[in-house]
Amino acid sequence: MPGMKIVTQVKLMPEADQAAALSATLRTVNDLACWVSEVAFAHGVPREYELRKHTYPRLKAEGLGAQAAQHVIKKVRDAYTTLHANIRAGNLGKPKSKRRIKAGSKPITFRPEAAQPYDDRCLSWQYDAQTVSIWTTAGRLKNVRFVCSADALKTLREYRKGEADLIERDGVFYLIATCEVPEAETYEPDGFIGVDLGIVNIATTSTGYQAAGRGLHRYRKRQLALRAKLQKKRTKSAKRRLKERSRREQRHVKNTNHIIAKTIVTEAERTSAGISLEELKGIRQRVRLRKPQRVALHSWAFAQLGDFIVYKAKRAGVPLVFVDPAYTSQTCAECGHVDKRNRVDQGLFICRGCGVVAHADRNASHNIATRGETVWNAGRESRVPATP
């Protein structure tokens, strides 16, 4: 059965001497990664094997183990691969833009606390004791405690596969492990739940669930005001607090998106329905909003919410389709009449054809559900072999 890769994060709880060793290790490997990056840049970023010939002896001489040295070289090579892919995709601007020229004109640098990959030869897990044994420049550290949720521990125990990254954030250490979770077998859906995404209501489903954005927007508005206040100060402590606040806001958004996604997927699974989700690509270009709402649109993590719904649906075996959301807010879910005047205002839909009155987002979600069923049936027909 095919599997999907997800990441699981655990927080390390090292003793003082263990924390010092982990911190020194990250600083050493990232300092050496910066040196490897300079060598790579000077040699026109050669392939990993050739880069190893130029750098491996010094990395070993600096006290890195064989595996740690290989990981530093691979980390640098991967960073350049990602940079070149971003340049080719136009993510860093047009060919002669300042940003693109700047990105390609100097070696990549690594922050002192940046992630360092570990494989099973450098890191071993003791799940029952909730400890890890991990390589450092000061030797192997044993019995380093970690904490995580019961669900995360279960996922790690059953599905952890491949490397884990050690990172440091504000003096706190985390291990981010890759887990390969099997996808459940998809069942034949009994209808589809349409999901309409928006600003006032982040998600509205055709079954009646509504993730209202009012409280979230108040929270984000408050955070925006606090950020503006701190940005004016321009002190070191203000910059540090800005970073902390930014991460706290990201965690808040992520948690909210997890809750919304879980609610939608659980409802679909309970009723043996599929999920019909609007195609997110180009949502920022499609939506036309008044100025006060633009910040909310451009700062809300729509793609993250979509990703969460997709992976939770795959884990549960819930069928999922993407549909074109064009005109779903102007089309009557009852009679199919399309008219932009049907959408009276943000929350009200009155059909000019049949006179039905409905909540605008709920009406759109019903249209998305209908389109989902059409897409699923069309796909099912294409999978059936033609009779001779």
Side-chain angles (χ1 to χ4, degrees), residues 197 257 280 283-284 300-309:
L197 302 176
N257 278 340
L280 294 173
I283 189 169
R284 286 172 170 79
W300 187 257
F302 285 110
Q304 187 190 68
L305 175 56
D307 288 345
F308 287 172
I309 293 172

Side-chain angles (χ1 to χ4, degrees), residues 82-93 100 103-104:
T82 303
L83 173 66
H84 294 153
N86 279 325
I87 289 172
R88 279 197 305 275
N91 296 337
L92 296 173
R100 184 159 168 175

Side-chain angles (χ1 to χ4, degrees), residues 88-157:
R88 279 197 305 275
N91 296 337
L92 296 173
K94 293 178 181 176
K96 292 185 180 178
S97 69
K98 282 185 181 177
R99 189 180 171 205
R100 184 159 168 175
I101 292 167
K102 188 179 177 183
S105 64
K106 59 181 182 180
I108 291 172
T109 56
F110 296 83
R111 292 174 294 105
E113 67 279 7
Q116 174 67 7
Y118 278 77
D119 62 19
D120 287 344
R121 280 173 281 192
C122 306
L123 172 71
S124 59
W125 300 75
Q126 296 80 46
Y127 300 116
D128 291 336
Q130 278 196 222
T131 60
V132 293
S133 167
I134 186 168
W135 171 88
T136 70
T137 48
R140 189 94 175 187
L141 295 183
K142 294 184 178 179
N143 302 319
V144 181
R145 290 193 310 116
F146 70 85
V147 291
C148 63
S149 68
D151 193 42
L153 185 62
K154 185 174 182 287
T155 303
L156 279 170
R157 191 192 294 270

